[in-house]
Amino acid sequence: MANAGEAATSARARLIFDAKELSYDFGADHPLKPQRVVALLDLLEESGLWDRADLQTSLPIRHATRAELELVHTPAYIDAVRELSKEIQPGLAESDRREQLELDYGFAEGDTPPLVGMHEVTSLIVGGSLVGLSALMGLLEGGSFASAQERPLHIFHPSGGLHHAWPARASGFCVYNDAAIAIAHVLRSTEARVLYIDFDAHHGDGVQKAFYDDPRVMTISLHETGRYLFPGTGDVLEMGAGLGRGYSINLPLQPFTEDDSYTEVMQSIIPPLLISFAPDVLVTVHGCDTHAWDQLTHLSLTTRGIQAQIKLAHELAHTYCQGRWLALGSGGYDAYRVVPRAWGMVWAEMAGQELPAQLPASWVERWRLAWLKVEEEEAEERQAMGIQAGSAHFPLTFADRREDFPQQPRRWEISHTNRQTAALARHLLLSSSLRQAFRTPRHVSPLTGLVDLLHLRGSETPSRSKLLETARGPLLLRDFCPPSMVEHLRADQGLHAFARLPEREWQLLLNIARSPDCALTLAHTPGGEIVGQVTIAPGDEWWEGLDNVYEVAIEVSANWRGLRLANQLLAFALQLDALEDMILFAVGLSWHWDTEGLSMNMYRYRELIARLFASQGFAEYPTNEPNVRMEAANVFMARIGKRVDSRTASRFLSRVMSTPNLTGL
């Protein structure tokens, strides 16, 4: 029996569907089959998970207006779509004009052929996503509700997710970009920050492009690497431009990636990113072409990996977005075996309902016949091409059976490469404090002596304290702060450089204090407010293989700046004799979140960082380290301890100046 919380969630979950959306149909031979949505809804009803007659579980939609379409698409493109939507008229001139429009706007490439009525049906799909997101945000376009408590909290629009459409070009089965238009509408109407996570196997290039320079939208795409799959984009180095630098995140995965590797990459980067971004609403795309049975891609997920995506999205929505979550469908080309089950999991998660173990026998009987027909046609094609058919069957359970998915022969190699990709993304996109608070396993040399240097007597490491008098009152400085101490303190309201909110900044510091290989130094008031911190932690994966290399990060509350607190706090933290056996480095990044609100240009910020660390014996080094090389305003500072042997120092300096292998660290 569902508890009260689950019942409330179920009552506030809505599914958007209009039968007219099924007209988004490129023909029987096209891999995008609208019948997959019919099979989904049939499965939900047969399983008792949804009732189309219950108005409390649905949401009426409408066509998007031209003005709304123009939030993302150019007027000329919309005109072309409208013209190509008409029935073909006889006449040479008319034929020539249509051919030219198809060439100019992406309809002649085969993937997205012109479709009679495509403007009307696609604008309806756009309207569905726009109405859904507007309802979550309390906008007029989302409809009226009796009270805020009756407003939907989770909305699923399975026909949505046409994420490849560009402003002036159809692409990848997509005509109008419903997700981008819905997000653009919210940005125009509110001050909200929107998080977009794309789980489709193909890179979400259209949505990324729409907001590539906008810091109000963070786009995260986990996809099969573009080296082997359409659209060929989505490299880790596509990180945004201008003010949007650092807000486009791409995690390209190796072909045949399995559940565990996928989940590891997902968990290593998404949670720490959200700490900093602090979104107001979540939009997710649940293309299930990541499944091992999908014929258009090469990833090897099962429903276990797909369910991990869904559960993470639900958790993030409630942790950061007050529950506001719009889920869209997108790709999925095993229309009867995979799509209904995967998207059934999305709806069940949103509605707080438990999935039955078995698929309804009546549903299996109906849709197995549809699958067999497709399978026979494809078998004939494979035979004609000399391709040997593999074993296939129609599932009888919601969850996949492990025995149906043998281990990939290159599992270790694939997982290792994916881990390197995630490490590079973390290195480029996460600030030092975030990386230290959300640490990943790291291989170290058995001769490193890591713990001995920072923690001289293990758990009995001596902690120093100092009273510091400032113009704003006394402060207490203490190094090697234990978790029990941090638990009894709180963050000053101006301490939000890395996590945007003081309470989340405090959680970051607590995570760092709990890490056995970090040293946390705090400055706090006698009343218990943390106003500054310095962290010393092992260098991330970029420095793997180098002994005793540590990164130093510093933060001072916006309310306590201008008092030379940073200089005194850093000097106190570095008054350790053991540091002479270490190599310390610090990176000043002009684009990271900790530079927002400083009221200084980026070159002034660079100068400030350089002077601060130079006061403690750090020197600036030229470097090919990718984060620093990308911006002229970035700076790399390092201090090589007096007792560091020359060979170790030489290896460090060689790494600093080496040309990075961006495909594999």
Side-chain angles (χ1 to χ4, degrees), residues 373-451:
K373 181 179 178 182
V374 173
E375 186 68 13
E376 289 169 1
E377 293 172 354
E378 292 180 351
E380 292 176 2
E381 294 176 4
R382 286 193 294 264
Q383 185 177 5
M385 293 186 291
I387 300 174
Q388 185 175 359
S391 60
H393 69 277
F394 198 86
L396 303 177
T397 57
F398 257 101
D400 286 325
R401 302 184 310 171
R402 287 181 180 266
E403 57 266 31
D404 292 333
F405 300 88
Q407 176 178 318
Q408 290 293 331
R410 296 173 49 250
R411 172 180 286 181
W412 184 90
E413 179 185 345
I414 291 167
S415 298
H416 178 67
T417 303
N418 288 339
R419 195 171 292 124
Q420 289 181 315
T421 298
L424 179 57
R426 284 171 55 89
H427 184 82
L428 292 170
L429 294 159
L430 297 180
S431 64
S432 173
S433 291
L434 286 167
R435 280 185 274 112
Q436 293 162 9
F438 291 87
R439 299 190 65 79
T440 57
R442 178 172 179 259
H443 301 291
V444 296
S445 163
L447 303 177
T448 295
L450 196 66
V451 175

Side-chain angles (χ1 to χ4, degrees), residues 10-157:
S10 178
R12 299 189 67 181
R14 304 290 182 98
L15 191 149
I16 290 178
F17 170 72
D18 189 304
K20 296 187 183 78
E21 292 180 301
L22 299 176
S23 298
Y24 197 75
D25 185 352
F26 294 105
D29 295 331
H30 197 280
L32 184 65
K33 301 184 186 304
Q35 283 297 103
R36 63 191 185 149
V37 178
V38 179
L40 162 69
L41 301 181
D42 188 26
L43 176 58
L44 294 181
E45 292 195 290
E46 286 283 333
S47 302
L49 298 171
W50 181 69
D51 180 1
R52 72 178 68 220
D54 184 356
L55 298 180
Q56 294 300 310
T57 63
S58 60
L59 197 66
I61 63 173
R62 59 166 174 82
H63 290 85
T65 66
R66 180 173 181 116
E68 289 165 345
L69 295 175
E70 288 183 0
L71 290 172
V72 168
H73 297 289
T74 66
Y77 176 68
I78 297 171
D79 290 341
V81 172
R82 292 178 68 95
E83 187 163 343
L84 291 171
S85 297
K86 300 174 183 176
E87 293 278 2
I88 298 176
Q89 301 297 322
L92 182 60
E94 176 67 22
S95 176
D96 289 346
R97 173 165 173 74
R98 284 184 64 92
E99 287 183 8
Q100 190 60 52
L101 288 175
E102 291 174 15
L103 286 169
D104 291 344
Y105 294 104
F107 293 98
E109 297 173 0
D111 283 350
T112 318
L115 170 67
V116 174
M118 65 181 172
H119 168 77
E120 289 74 17
V121 64
T122 314
S123 64
L124 181 65
I125 293 172
V126 171
S129 297
L130 188 145
V131 166
L133 193 56
S134 297
L136 295 174
M137 300 304 296
L139 300 177
L140 181 64
E141 292 79 6
S144 59
F145 301 90
S147 66
Q149 287 67 38
E150 293 187 20
R151 186 175 302 285
L153 201 61
H154 305 330
I155 296 176
F156 182 31
H157 183 203

